[in-house]
Amino acid sequence: MSTHFSETSVVRGACPQDCPDTCAFLYHVEDGKLVEVTGDPDHPMTRGGLCVKLKNFAEHHYNPDRLLYPMKRVGPKGSGKFERISWDDALARIRSEWTKIIDQYGAQAIMPHAYLGHQGTLNGLTSGDAFFNRLGSTVAEKTYCESGSSTAWIMTVGPTGGLDVESLAYSKYIIVWGMNMLNTNLHAWPFILEAKNKGAKIVVIDPVRTRTAKQADWHIPIRPGTDGALALGMINVIIGEKLADDDYVAKYTVGIEGLAARAADYTPEKVSAITGIPADDIRTLAREYAKTQPTAIRQGVAVERSPGGGDAIRLMTILPALTGAWRHVGGGAVEMPIWEFPFNFDFMCRPDFIRPGTRVVNELDLGAALTGEMELDPPIKSLFVYNSNPVSQAPNAGQIVKGLMREDLFTVTSELFITDTAKYSDIILPATMQAEQYDLMVTWGHLYVMLNQPAIEAPGECIPNVELFCRLAKTMGFEDEHFSLSEDEMLMGSYDWNSPAMEGITLDKLKERGWMRLNVGIPSERAPHAEGNFKTPSGKCEFAASAAENGNFVAGVWRSGYEDMQPGNPVEAVPTYIPPTESAADNSGLAKKFPLNLLSPKPHAFLNTQYGNEQTQQLRQGEQLIVINPKDASTRGIDSGSYVRVFNERGSFEALAEISSDVIAGMIMTNVGHWPGLNRTGTAVNSTTPPRHSNLGQAGAYSDNLVEVQAT
Ligand SMILES: Nc1nc2c(c(=O)[nH]1)N[C@H]1C(S)=C(S)[C@@H](COP(=O)(O)OP(=O)(O)OC[C@H]3O[C@@H](n4cnc5c(=O)[nH]c(N)nc54)[C@H](O)[C@@H]3O)O[C@H]1N2
Ligand SMILES: Nc1nc2c(c(=O)[nH]1)N[C@H]1C(S)=C(S)[C@@H](COP(=O)(O)OP(=O)(O)OC[C@H]3O[C@@H](n4cnc5c(=O)[nH]c(N)nc54)[C@H](O)[C@@H]3O)O[C@H]1N2
Ligand SMILES: [Mo]
C-alpha cells in the first residue's frame, strides 16, 4: 500500500486490542513521528479516556526490540538466535518447505495458529483463513475466548447483541458476573456509576474481591466453576416464590416446564453447599433480582473457563427472560454485542475453499497435536503462528514447548516481538503496529463501527497481516481474485453494507469521522427483546434449546465461518449444573496432592501478553504474584512477599506471595499475561493449566486447575 503521510497531523484511529472497549483514537503526528495517542472525547462510549495499557502507545511503536525484518533461526530451536534475511528469501524458504511437506504428507500436515493479537477485520482473527483454506491446511478451531459463552448465548437467545452496555445507565439492579470490569471493560464503568448515582444496586459475583468487587454494593464470593448451580438456585427461588413474569414466559419463551423441573432440585441449601454462598444470600439475590426492574446482567468471560461454563452461561442468559427484565430499557443481559454487526463470514473466511473432508484441530489442543499425544494422520509438520502467543496463553504450555522443539517441525511466526512462542520459530516475519495500518475494527463491547487509518510509515520491512497473506498466496501460486483485492474491496466484501444496521454508514464517512454507531436503536430507548424477537429458531428465549440437537457446535467466527463441520458431543436441551473436574469437592483424590484451585484472570497493565515486555507497564503491573488466603498461607509457612513455587503434575512456575483475604480459602489467584521467559523459572501460569474444554464451544477450561504452593 502506498499511502501518503503528511508530516504533521491528527489522524483518526481505533485501538487494536482484544478488549470489549475498542477506544476511538487520535494519532498525533509531528515531523512524521507519532508523538502521542489520545482518546477521542466525542466517542459516546469511550469518551476520550484510554486505559493504563495504552498510556504509552506512541512509544510502543518505537520499542527498540521490535521485529523490523524477516529473520531465520541460526541457533538450536528455542535459543533465540536469529539472523536477518530478505522477504524474498523468507518466502522462498516457506515455499520450499511447504512444497516438500505437501508432496510427502499432504497440505493438512500444515496447521495455522491464530488468535486475537489484532482485532481488525483485515488483520485480525480471520485474516489468514482464506489463505489457509485455499492451501488445504488443517482447519484450526480458534476457541481461546468467548466461544463457550457465545455458543451458550446463541443457543438461548440467538445471535443478538442483547442489552446495550450504554443502557446500563438506566438499570436499577446490575449484576457484574465473573468480570473484573475496572480492569477489563473500563469504559462500561461510567454507565454503571450513572445508574448507581440514580440509586441502582451493583452486585459483583466473583471468587476474588477484585477492584470492581470493592466498588460494588454487594460482593458475592463464589467457588470457581459453580455459577451454574447459583443460577439454578436463583431460578429455584424465583419459580418457587412465584416471582417469575408469567406473561413474558408464556409469550416469549419455550421450555419452562423442563427448566422448573431441573431447578426444583437446586434448593438454596443445596446450592449453598456447592457454591459456598450462604443460602439466605442466594434467596436475597433471587428476590432482589426478580422484584427490581430493570435488572441487568453483565456476563464476563471467566464463567466459561470451567467444565460446566457453557451451561452456566445458558442459565445466566435465561434469568432476564424468566423475570421479564427484557421488557425494559436497561434490562436484560449482555454477552457481547458483536452479533449486531452484519459480518459476511463466507467472504472473510472463504469456507468454500475448504476441501471436503478436511480435519479440524482445536488450537487449545496444540501440545497434544504437536507431540503426537493426539493421533493425527498426517502429523503436523509445519505450524504457522500469527496474532497469537500460545506458549504463554494456551493451556499445558510445557507440552507445547516440547512440541515446538521437534527438529522436524517447520515453524513460522508473524510477530511484533520475539515472544516466548516466536523464539521457537525457524522463520519470523515482522508485522506492523496499529498506527501503521488500515483496518475496520471488530468490536465486542459496544455498537460503533470503528475505522483505523494509518498515521505513520511502517518501520523496516513490517507489513500488515492482510498483506502477508496476499504475499503468501502469490508465493504459493494462488491466482484467486480474493488475494489481489484492495483493502477497501475486502472491507466491502466483509460486511453486508446494505443491511438495516449499516444504513447510512459508508467507508467514506468513516474515513472522515472515524466511527459511527450501528442503527440498532439508541441507548435510552433500546429494548430489543421487549416483545420477544429472539433470534433463535423458535423466535423465543429457549430454556430448552433447539440447537442442542446439533450437539456441541462452535458458534460464529471461531471456525473459519463453519458452525457444524463436525458433530460435537451431545448437549442436553435444558441446561444443567456440571461440576468442576478439578476441585476439592469434586475430586478429593487429586485435591489431596493439589488442594488449591488456581484462577488466572487478566492483568491490569498488560493486554494478555502485550506490553508485558515493556518496562513502563511492567512497573505498573509488578511481578508475577499469587494471592493466597491467610489460612492457606499459614498452614504452608508462606510469608507475604516471599517467593513460592506453584505446581501440579503438568508443570510449575514461581511467583511472589501476597497474603490477602481478597481470595477465599482453598483457592489462589495469579494473572495470565506475564511473559514466561521474563519470569524466574521461564514459565508462567499456563504451565499448570489443563488442556481441557468447557462443555460448550470447545472453550478452554483454564480455571479447572488444582495446584499446590510451596515456599521456595
Ligand atoms: N487489562 C486488561 N483488560 C483486558 C484483557 C487483559 O489482558 N488486560 N483481556 C481482554 C480479554 S481477551 C478478555 S477475554 C476480557 C476478559 O475479561 P473478564 O471477563 O473480566 O475476565 P477475567 O479477567 O478472566 O476474569 C474476570 C473475573 O472473573 C473471576 N472468575 C474466575 N473464575 C470465575 C468463576 O468460575 N466464576 C465467577 N463468577 N467468576 C470467576 C476472576 O476472579 C476475575 O476477577 O478482558 C479483556 N480486557
Ligand atoms: N491461564 C489463562 N490463559 C488464558 C486466559 C486466561 O484467562 N487464563 N485467557 C484466554 C483469552 S480470553 C485469550 S483472548 C487468549 C489470548 O491469547 P493471544 O491472542 O495469543 O494473546 P496475546 O498476548 O494478545 O498474543 C497475541 C500476539 O499477537 C501479536 N500481534 C499483535 N498484533 C499483531 C499483528 O498485527 N500481526 C501479527 N502477526 N501479530 C500481532 C502480539 O505481539 C502477541 O504476541 O489467552 C487465553 N489464555
Ligand atoms: Mo479473551
Side-chain angles (χ1 to χ4, degrees), residues 18 145 180 183-184 206 210 225 227 301-302 305 602-603 606 608:
D18 177 7
C145 173
N180 187 2
N183 271 13
T184 60
D206 195 310
T210 60
D227 302 87
V301 188
R305 303 197 222 288
K602 302 298 182 188
F606 308 151
N608 295 314

Side-chain angles (χ1 to χ4, degrees), residues 84-98:
R84 180 177 168 183
I85 54 172
S86 69
W87 264 103
D88 283 348
D89 286 350
L91 293 171
R93 171 87 187 282
I94 292 169
R95 185 189 161 100
S96 94
E97 295 287 343
W98 281 0

